[in-house]
Amino acid sequence: GNSVTQMEGPVTLSEEAFLTINCTYTATGYPSLFWYVQYPGEGLQLLLKATKADDKGSNKGFEATYRKETTSFHLEKGSVQVSDSAVYFCALKRDTGRRALTFGSGTRLQVQP
Amino acid sequence: GAGVSQSPSNKVTEKGKDVELRCDPISGHTALYWYRQSLGQGLEFLIYFQGNSAPDKSGLPSDRFSAERTGGSVSTLTIQRTQQEDSAVYLCASSLESGSLSYEQYFGPGTRLTVT
């Protein structure tokens, strides 16, 4: 079946540090890939997405590239801010059949000033 | 426009009681999803409604869980004879759906259910 594996957190960084959160997936076909973010006390928000191999999703300084050869969709940001502190979820959506999202376990990011 | 809304925001119930959770999707969105977010299980899919098609109930954890969507809009998730392991945040999401891979799912703020 489909699954998403994320690096376990929490990840603690100083402001302006480089961020990588690893995400790998298992899926048949050609799924779409997503990163969602959940800020403290708020609901899930889409951060970025990619729908086919080699696509790069980007938003708010975050980037992730859909790598089919390594089945990965790692999230990166060159310089994190305190306001980036949140829980980040990697997710996939199948290209056929059920369109519900399959989520990773989430990675908590804490950025210290 | 308004986003996805859910009610109540918090619900505390005694073990064995029934609860109903409500979701109002974004107007015009044909697809509606229920997910559950719990400490032990992460974010897991429960049920999916798409237009007039039969719902996909493959994620419901037991027959105590059911959901309906009236008039293609509002949805109610019902949990009968609640158990402590049902304690979680129940999230609703809606999206446009027409076979495209990339339509975003918009999430509501969730209902935090606590079973005592």
Side-chain angles (χ1 to χ4, degrees), chain A residues 47-101:
Chain A
L47 180 60
L48 53 84
K49 65 185 180 187
T51 59
K52 60 183 188 295
D54 300 325
D55 265 3
K56 177 185 284 188
S58 61
N59 186 25
K60 300 181 180 181
F62 290 88
E63 292 183 340
T65 301
Y66 188 164
R67 300 287 188 199
K68 192 163 178 65
E69 65 274 16
T70 54
T71 62
S72 65
F73 193 55
H74 305 321
L75 183 68
E76 298 183 335
K77 186 174 185 183
S79 176
V80 294
Q81 306 300 312
V82 172
S83 57
D84 294 326
S85 298
V87 181
Y88 293 81
F89 293 90
C90 186
L92 69 81
K93 185 166 71 169
R94 289 165 52 178
D95 57 343
T96 58
R98 192 177 81 194
R99 299 303 178 90
L101 293 163

Side-chain angles (χ1 to χ4, degrees), chain B residues 7-105:
Chain B
S7 60
S9 55
N10 280 284
K11 176 72 176 178
V12 180
T13 190
E14 293 180 353
K15 177 181 171 180
K17 296 285 181 66
D18 297 352
V19 295
E20 285 189 352
L21 312 179
R22 177 187 168 104
C23 172
D24 282 90
I26 293 173
S27 178
H29 281 191
T30 56
L32 187 148
Y33 306 79
W34 283 97
Y35 296 88
R36 179 169 70 173
Q37 186 175 21
S38 57
L39 281 177
Q41 301 297 323
L43 264 161
E44 54 181 343
F45 162 76
L46 296 177
I47 188 169
Y48 162 50
F49 297 89
Q50 165 53 15
N52 296 320
S53 302
D56 177 351
K57 305 178 183 180
S58 60
L60 294 179
S62 79
D63 58 9
R64 295 186 295 105
F65 288 71
S66 63
E68 62 178 18
R69 188 178 185 192
T70 54
S73 182
V74 171
S75 178
T76 302
L77 176 69
T78 300
I79 309 174
Q80 295 179 310
R81 304 181 303 282
T82 52
Q83 304 295 313
Q84 287 187 330
E85 62 262 29
D86 299 334
S87 297
V89 177
Y90 289 82
L91 297 172
C92 176
S94 71
S95 72
L96 293 170
E97 195 72 45
S98 67
S100 166
L101 298 175
S102 61
Y103 284 141
E104 177 180 353
Q105 291 184 24

